[in-house]
Amino acid sequence: MHFNSIIAVGVMLSGAVVSAAECGGYGLCGAVPASSRNQLYAARQHVCGDGLYKNDGYYHAPGGGRLSWPGGFDQQRCWDAFENILNQCRPEGAGLGNHSGSYNWYGKLYTVRGCSNSPYKE
């Protein structure tokens, strides 16, 4: 058995779950404003770092984007959910790419919209 196969079997037996964000809105935002990756990370910092995550809410990011989240979860979950979306849907160096994404945490939806015409409206 190859080393990679052993790791894969180990992960399956351990019950580990690999989570993925759903990405959408590929391409340019058109004539509407768009937030850069850095602006979306700054919005994440504000939401997760300043306690906004404690209650359901949304935050308009500089540049035209928007983050939304379910309240009632801990701070680490806020960091991780938005990190998953940004890393998978707005990877570094990929240009605009997918400008929106969502992350479902046991039926609770975190969303990032990079521009005002992105899907995943509340």
Side-chain angles (χ1 to χ4, degrees):
M1 192 179 278
H2 293 100
F3 182 70
N4 287 343
S5 299
I6 293 170
I7 291 175
V9 170
V11 169
M12 289 188 305
L13 293 176
S14 72
V17 176
V18 177
S19 301
E22 291 187 29
C23 304
Y26 188 81
L28 300 176
C29 291
V32 298
S35 295
S36 69
R37 178 179 162 88
N38 287 341
Q39 288 172 318
L40 293 172
Y41 263 104
R44 171 187 174 244
Q45 171 66 39
H46 179 62
V47 169
C48 300
D50 293 342
L52 298 177
Y53 68 90
K54 294 177 182 179
N55 298 304
D56 292 356
Y58 63 89
Y59 177 75
H60 290 283
R66 180 174 165 163
L67 278 66
S68 65
W69 61 91
F73 293 108
D74 60 41
Q75 185 179 38
Q76 189 61 51
R77 190 162 304 158
C78 179
W79 291 115
D80 293 346
F82 287 126
E83 182 77 10
N84 282 337
I85 296 168
L86 291 170
N87 280 342
Q88 294 171 41
C89 300
R90 291 294 295 274
E92 188 70 43
L96 191 58
N98 290 298
H99 49 77
S100 62
S102 67
Y103 182 80
N104 188 325
W105 187 273
Y106 296 102
K108 302 294 184 179
L109 199 62
Y110 292 80
T111 64
V112 173
R113 293 170 50 199
C115 57
S116 59
N117 68 346
S118 299
Y120 306 114
K121 297 184 189 317
E122 291 79 47

